[in-house]
Amino acid sequence: MVGMSLACSLASMPLTKHLNVAIIDSNPALVNGIRINKQDPPDPRVSTITPATTSMFRDIGAWQYLQPYRHAYFDQMQVWDYTGLGYTRYHARDVDKDSLGCVVENKVLQSSLLLCIQNADFQKRIFPSRLVSMSLNPGLKSKQMDGISSEISRADLAKLHLSDGTCLYAKLVVGADGSKSQVRELAGFKTTGWNYSQNAVICTVEHASENQCAWQRFLPAGPIALLPMGDNFSNIVWTMNPKEALDRKSMTEIDFVKTVNHALDHGFGPHPTSSLLGKGNIFSWFGAGVPTSGNGGFEIPPKVVKLASERMVFPLSLRHANDYVSKHVALIGDAAHTVHPLAGQGVNLGFGDAFALSRVIGEAIAVGMDIGEASLLKKYEAERKPANIAMMAILDGFQKAYSVDFGPLNILRAAGFHAANYISPLKRSIISYASGEQRLPLFT
Amino acid sequence: MASKLLHRVRAVSARLKYSRTLSPTLAAFASSRLLSDVAPSASTSPAPQSSGSSDKFEHNAKSSSVRSSLKDPELAKFSAIADTWKDPSSARPFEGMKIVDVGCGGGILSEPLARMGASVTGVDAVDKNIKIARIHADLDPVTSTIEYCCTTAEKLVEEQRKFDAVISLEVIEHVADPAEFCQSLSALTIPEGALVISTINRSMRAYATAIVAAEYLLHWLPKGTHQWLSFLTPEELVLILQRSSICVKEMAGFVYNPLTGRWSLSDDVSVNFIAFGTKNSQ
């Protein structure tokens, strides 16, 4: 998805429209097209798109292809934990916006990007195979007689070998091939990171009526998130330790629905009350005069009626490439960074990378620079790396803060909930940052 | 007048910030200014107004009075590609223009100009530079069209070569006779064509930065690259150019921000500066 969004972005800018783009992806859907029926049951794989990403999609002309299909904007979000000591309720009107984000099935995103690129007046070729090897520094060959001059004119390009035997030359190779990126391996980029001892169980469920709020409850083993998808459906992302994940995947549907309702409702701890020890009143003093949704009470999430898709399990890890770029190569999306799904930020960081890279390429072409040059690509890295690392650090911090059940720490977390709920400048800052409007937390 | 013009230049530079290579800053500068002045001026206005607006360019292109030195096919050629010149989002805004890069070195400016569509001739008095420039340019089919010659501006004048734009960056502080050098550059420029020269100001600040800091402290340049007495002040450069029938339209300075490591255009001409002029029409 992220790679395709880069291609669409390049196609939409007049400075970069003339570039030749080769898309290498062994997914047959790219060649055959992705057929989606509106009556299809919802896929379990969804992404939460921030408003910033939505406007970027609109800029490149891809959003129009998405609108006919199922997607859901949500304007409210509630976050709480099992201790029942605090909760936070966010509303889009706290930042004068219409929505906090939009939940879209991945296949809808892929299809709309594919349609966008197919309908663009853009020279692209899709190669349905895999990258096998890549050579980035062919080296300067000594000048020889005319017959060999064609070899020399390719000496400054990257050479790629594909699994079907094709050989490609390119000025710039963009690795958008996911967390196990082959491009990253072949280019020799080192990564830092660790595996979380958690897996995520993903599925889609159905309610009796429409859900319009995003819910997240931190449980002792990991958070469970309930995201509205439209048409009475919601997506569940439930993080837990691997053994429980296997259990939950293999238990019957009815049992699974019971455990989900248990986890969202009374399981593991009490509900937070709207005002605890008068704390709410103290904090509302800070936000005096400014309308917030802090006074909206705690609500219980809607009951899940039945399971609407298969259950999938994914291992979770944190991984970050030490460098995003070198001569002729750039990494974007999960190839550069993998994060915990607890805030729905992963793919949004990836889209941010794609649009930043395409802008940097456009600026280079405006002044005649070679797009494969390392100094240019470093500009992209300098723009995205701090933002990505900041987000990753915050998410990792949350993950660690919530994985410990320790009295004083629980109270600290609860204080955090209250602060985020009642101190409106902080709340606005959090919402802005999570919506992608602010690049770095706190200092913008 | 200078600050008004420079405000416009800064509007361009605010969009584009670059690393230490000079060519991109020049190209940004050139692309905003060269286009409006290198019009096949069919009008008889003696010196194009200093307002430098894009409307002026349109006026020039559409004006109907034709002078005897211009041929219809030339006009037709330029007006056909005129649309690309006005379009800031065109990837090849210099299509159809002949540009000479005097003192091209390794081709650091010539290559981006060629990628932007110009027919570039790069000349340098040092043969080794030309060889390196050729090897590097041959790596990319777009830049392999650059014509590199190991020669001097004077020899090109003898060959009666003419160019739409003559660019000579960081050269004039190294020549023996700047006035004669400017005469040669001017002779290479067609009437109403563009001439761009950049050099270092003969000021105390330039001594401290370009010589002491750059050569002795930071080692960005080999010791002895520059002689302070060979630097020219902006006023001297303007005078010399005026005597060579070049009217200087705009001037700007380059400043380096050590925190970001980026160069940008500015009003400050006290160290590095760049001047843009047009050849008087005869």
Side-chain angles (χ1 to χ4, degrees):
Chain A
M1 287 191 288
V2 174
M4 199 60 96
S5 72
L6 174 68
C8 287
S9 181
L10 291 173
S12 70
M13 295 197 313
L15 275 172
T16 49
K17 279 168 82 118
H18 64 282
L19 293 173
N20 263 322
V21 174
I23 302 172
I24 303 170
D25 192 331
S26 52
N27 184 350
L30 281 186
V31 178
N32 305 331
I34 304 175
R35 245 160 260 114
I36 308 178
N37 282 321
K38 296 189 196 175
Q39 289 76 26
D40 272 352
D43 242 20
R45 303 224 60 189
V46 307
S47 298
T48 313
I49 309 291
T50 58
T53 307
T54 313
S55 60
M56 291 196 264
F57 264 64
R58 268 187 235 272
D59 287 342
I60 63 175
W63 194 256
Q64 46 173 328
Y65 297 104
L66 196 148
Q67 287 182 309
Y69 299 104
R70 186 189 298 122
H71 62 286
Y73 291 98
F74 60 93
D75 56 1
Q76 297 174 68
M77 189 157 134
Q78 179 174 293
V79 185
W80 73 112
D81 70 356
Y82 63 94
T83 57
L85 293 171
Y87 73 100
T88 313
R89 218 180 152 73
Y90 300 106
H91 203 287
R93 55 164 188 265
D94 291 341
V95 286
D96 301 320
K97 290 261 161 50
D98 290 325
S99 77
L100 292 173
C102 181
V103 182
V104 191
E105 288 159 81
N106 284 359
K107 67 175 189 219
V108 171
L109 277 171
Q110 283 162 348
S111 153
S112 55
L113 287 169
L114 187 61
L115 284 170
C116 177
I117 193 91
Q118 279 169 346
N119 294 339
D121 173 25
F122 189 59
Q123 280 187 332
K124 75 260 169 211
R125 243 193 95 184
I126 299 182
F127 291 88
S129 62
R130 284 176 310 105
L131 179 64
V132 168
S133 76
M134 187 163 73
S135 127
L136 291 172
N137 293 311
L140 279 176
K141 296 182 173 49
S142 61
K143 193 142 172 118
Q144 290 168 13
M145 289 295 121
D146 296 311
I148 324 198
S149 56
S150 62
E151 271 297 318
I152 296 181
S153 69
R154 287 176 172 160
D156 199 35
L157 301 172
K159 189 168 167 187
L160 299 105
H161 288 281
L162 306 183
S163 55
D164 60 1
T166 328
C167 189
L168 288 176
Y169 292 94
K171 276 207 174 138
L172 176 62
V173 179
V174 177
D177 42 350
S179 48
K180 296 187 187 56
S181 167
Q182 177 81 316
V183 173
R184 187 184 65 210
E185 289 295 318
L186 292 172
F189 288 120
K190 302 250 182 323
T191 61
T192 314
W194 46 85
N195 292 326
Y196 293 119
S197 56
Q198 290 173 321
N199 288 357
V201 175
I202 314 231
C203 64
T204 313
V205 297
E206 197 173 347
H207 303 286
S209 59
E210 204 171 348
N211 171 23
Q212 283 178 331
C213 174
W215 312 86
Q216 174 143 304
R217 188 176 188 212
F218 285 93
L219 302 173
I224 178 169
L226 186 73
L227 305 164
M229 280 172 71
D231 296 343
N232 293 1
F233 293 113
S234 288
N235 187 261
I236 296 227
V237 180
W238 194 354
T239 309
M240 61 190 82
N241 61 50
K243 187 180 163 310
E244 280 181 29
L246 270 172
D247 285 342
R248 298 249 161 79
K249 180 171 173 179
S250 42
M251 61 170 61
T252 63
E253 289 193 14
I254 307 211
D255 283 340
F256 182 74
V257 167
K258 277 214 197 95
T259 57
V260 166
N261 282 326
H262 183 250
L264 286 172
D265 199 350
H266 282 285
F268 305 99
H271 290 159
T273 47
S274 297
S275 69
L276 178 70
L277 308 173
K279 265 207 186 109
N281 296 331
I282 296 174
F283 278 98
S284 59
W285 180 81
F286 283 110
V290 182
T292 68
S293 64
N295 300 326
F298 174 81
E299 284 178 28
I300 304 172
K303 275 218 163 350
V304 170
V305 165
K306 71 183 190 62
L307 193 59
S309 78
E310 56 163 330
R311 283 158 279 176
M312 303 173 87
V313 177
F314 295 99
L316 299 177
S317 61
L318 175 90
R319 203 147 300 275
H320 188 251
N322 296 347
D323 294 296
Y324 290 2
V325 303
S326 74
K327 192 159 192 249
H328 298 307
V329 185
L331 298 177
I332 60 175
D334 277 359
H337 43 76
T338 323
V339 301
H340 198 281
L342 66 78
Q345 293 294 333
V347 80
N348 292 295
L349 292 178
F351 285 128
D353 290 349
F355 295 119
L357 182 60
S358 97
R359 201 179 48 246
V360 162
I361 292 179
E363 283 171 4
I365 300 214
V367 290
M369 269 178 93
D370 180 358
I371 57 173
E373 235 178 277
S375 58
L376 165 76
L377 299 173
K378 287 261 177 248
K379 259 204 323 187
Y380 149 74
E381 184 178 19
E383 190 182 323
R384 290 305 299 172
K385 220 184 199 181
N388 290 340
I389 290 189
M391 179 65 83
M392 286 170 72
I394 291 175
L395 295 179
D396 196 50
F398 273 117
Q399 194 269 340
K400 294 194 158 52
Y402 282 99
S403 53
V404 180
D405 184 17
F406 180 53
L409 189 59
N410 294 354
I411 304 225
L412 210 61
R413 293 202 303 250
F417 274 127
H418 277 106
N421 205 18
Y422 295 113
I423 300 183
S424 34
L426 180 63
K427 180 182 254 181
R428 270 202 297 275
S429 186
I430 291 176
I431 298 180
S432 262
Y433 181 57
S435 309
E437 310 290 346
Q438 232 173 274
R439 217 167 62 87
L440 292 170
L442 296 179
F443 294 120
T444 317
Chain B
M1 167 181 107
S3 61
K4 192 170 70 151
L5 299 173
L6 287 167
H7 275 308
R8 262 189 300 278
V9 168
R10 248 212 287 230
V12 172
S13 74
R15 272 190 297 125
L16 309 154
K17 299 227 187 301
Y18 299 99
S19 61
R20 274 178 54 217
T21 53
L22 287 172
S23 55
T25 20
L26 166 80
F29 183 94
S31 65
S32 68
R33 292 291 144 221
L34 274 180
L35 306 181
S36 52
D37 278 337
V38 186
S41 160
S43 75
T44 51
S45 57
Q49 278 81 25
S50 56
S51 61
S53 65
S54 54
D55 292 339
K56 173 193 69 165
F57 166 74
E58 214 168 330
H59 165 78
N60 282 344
K62 287 184 185 156
S63 176
S64 51
S65 58
V66 180
R67 289 182 298 131
S68 57
S69 63
L70 275 172
K71 299 182 280 252
D72 278 337
E74 285 289 299
L75 264 182
K77 176 179 87 169
F78 279 121
S79 49
I81 47 176
D83 284 340
T84 56
W85 292 359
K86 287 195 294 177
D87 184 2
S89 55
S90 159
R92 292 176 71 87
F94 296 152
E95 196 75 55
M97 277 173 69
K98 294 210 294 276
I99 306 190
V100 64
D101 179 7
V102 180
C104 64
I108 192 174
L109 170 66
S110 308
E111 290 194 9
L113 287 176
R115 282 198 203 100
M116 289 167 87
S119 307
V120 180
T121 304
V123 306
D124 200 283
V126 176
D127 193 47
K128 199 165 96 170
N129 290 343
I130 295 291
K131 285 203 167 71
I132 293 176
R134 261 201 208 111
I135 292 178
H136 195 268
D138 279 342
L139 295 176
D140 184 348
V142 178
T143 53
S144 56
T145 55
I146 300 176
E147 178 198 354
Y148 283 114
C149 310
C150 178
T151 178
T152 61
E154 289 70 26
K155 294 223 186 69
L156 282 182
V157 173
E158 279 170 32
E159 293 169 25
Q160 303 210 338
R161 301 284 299 267
K162 293 278 183 212
F163 298 93
D164 301 315
V166 174
I167 309 185
S168 181
L169 304 188
E170 312 295 315
V171 177
I172 195 168
E173 68 263 24
H174 299 281
V175 301
D177 188 343
E180 203 188 297
F181 183 64
C182 284
Q183 291 282 10
S184 306
L185 293 182
S186 170
L188 292 172
T189 322
I190 60 169
E192 307 282 337
L195 173 57
V196 184
I197 292 188
S198 88
T199 184
I200 307 181
N201 196 344
R202 193 178 64 248
S203 66
M204 289 319 301
R205 243 180 97 192
Y207 185 74
T209 44
I211 297 187
V212 175
E215 291 178 19
Y216 292 90
L217 298 178
L218 299 168
H219 303 297
W220 285 354
L221 298 169
K223 294 192 182 57
T225 303
H226 288 123
Q227 301 303 318
W228 188 77
L229 289 171
S230 317
F231 290 165
L232 293 172
T233 64
E235 296 78 14
E236 287 168 356
L237 183 63
V238 170
L239 270 175
I240 298 182
L241 287 173
Q242 255 176 14
R243 287 192 198 130
S244 312
S245 324
I246 303 276
C247 172
V248 173
K249 292 292 161 57
E250 292 197 34
M251 200 168 310
F254 298 141
V255 294
Y256 178 69
N257 182 342
L259 296 174
T260 58
R262 300 246 174 87
W263 288 88
S264 41
L265 282 174
S266 97
D267 275 338
D268 178 8
V269 294
S270 59
V271 185
N272 295 77
F273 69 96
I274 186 165
F276 163 75
T278 52
K279 173 95 171 271
N280 298 337
S281 47
Q282 272 114 30

